[in-house]
Amino acid sequence: MAASFPETAISTERLLLRPLSEDDAPGLAMMMADDLVLAWTDLPHPFTEQYAADLARTLAPAHRAAGRGIVFAVTEHLTQRLVGLVELRATDWRLRSTEIAYVTAAWARGEGYAPEAVLGVAQWLFEDRGFLRLEMRTAAGNTAAQQVAQKIGGISEGVLRSAWIVRGESGEVVEESRSDVILWSLLPEDMEAPEPEHSGRHGDHRYVLRD
């Protein structure tokens, strides 16, 4: 039987990352109906409520059970509103390495939710699951994703040439073009602990985002 992540939830200062529920389907479908999601991800298009329900009911659990990774719904603590999706994939259990990808709802961008969620997952991976490497791949034109990688302390390792497909809509036609990809990595030693005088400010949140 393949190694796999446990079904779990991760709490950060403002967010709860939890397993997907079929009740998330309407919010997921709305979140994915966005030009930036179409452009920078490889998610199905159109991303329907039926696909979202299938993702929660069968696809995400199978992804986890097979040891490939895990999918989290990202919600606000205060409102329980769905603000994003985080996926771990291409997990290598021998190397203790995995890749992270994420989507943030259009209304929630600019609030720092993406780096907070990614940093929370990184802390869980390194401290609780014994992982030693986290990777992120960002399309060359996706500056917002690159800023997230930088804020969590990620190190740029180089460019993968013509390694991604960028999509855009022209009328009812989805047009595709090739893009370079920047490869980022985060290791346990890259994570920045708070200064002693600030420790405890956020309870058990032991790592901080970089400016």
Side-chain angles (χ1 to χ4, degrees):
M1 182 176 179
S4 62
F5 292 113
E7 189 172 274
T8 190
I10 300 170
S11 181
T12 69
E13 184 177 1
R14 298 177 296 170
L15 303 172
L16 176 67
L17 287 74
R18 57 162 175 77
L20 283 171
S21 162
E22 289 187 56
D23 292 339
D24 295 320
L28 278 174
M30 184 178 301
M31 183 167 63
M32 302 309 179
D34 177 81
D35 289 345
L36 293 181
V37 174
L38 172 66
W40 302 128
T41 76
D42 57 0
L43 292 168
H45 177 75
F47 192 104
T48 63
E49 284 193 31
Q50 181 60 56
Y51 179 82
D54 290 343
L55 179 64
R57 181 173 54 249
T58 60
L59 300 177
H63 180 69
R64 184 187 65 81
R68 294 189 295 269
I70 190 170
V71 181
F72 292 104
V74 183
T75 61
E76 288 181 317
H77 278 307
L78 290 179
T79 66
Q80 284 78 58
R81 190 176 181 184
L82 185 69
V83 302
L85 194 71
V86 169
E87 178 187 358
L88 296 180
R89 57 192 182 188
T91 303
D92 187 318
W93 292 93
R94 182 170 178 267
L95 291 178
R96 311 301 288 183
S97 172
T98 190
E99 178 187 344
I100 193 164
Y102 66 90
V103 172
T104 304
W107 66 267
R109 292 172 189 150
E111 300 296 328
Y113 285 143
E116 182 175 331
V118 173
L119 190 66
V121 172
Q123 180 174 321
W124 172 73
L125 280 170
F126 294 152
E127 295 194 353
D128 294 350
R129 309 313 306 170
F131 270 61
L132 298 173
R133 179 179 170 89
L134 179 63
E135 293 185 355
M136 182 185 296
R137 288 168 167 79
T138 63
N142 191 351
T143 56
Q146 292 159 28
Q147 290 171 358
V148 171
Q150 292 168 346
K151 286 181 178 180
I152 67 169
I155 303 299
S156 173
E157 295 188 337
V159 175
L160 308 178
R161 297 184 301 161
S162 191
W164 194 251
I165 298 292
V166 176
R167 301 178 296 187
E169 285 187 299
S170 177
E172 296 182 355
V173 178
V174 175
E175 297 182 342
E176 298 183 342
S177 59
R178 300 194 70 87
S179 169
D180 293 346
V181 166
I182 301 173
L183 175 63
W184 305 82
S185 68
L186 185 71
L187 308 183
E189 56 265 34
D190 298 327
M191 298 183 71
E192 182 175 307
E195 296 296 326
E197 63 268 26
H198 299 305
S199 62
R201 175 183 292 181
H202 301 309
D204 292 332
H205 310 296
R206 293 178 289 277
Y207 298 99
V208 296
L209 297 171
R210 302 185 181 184
D211 293 334

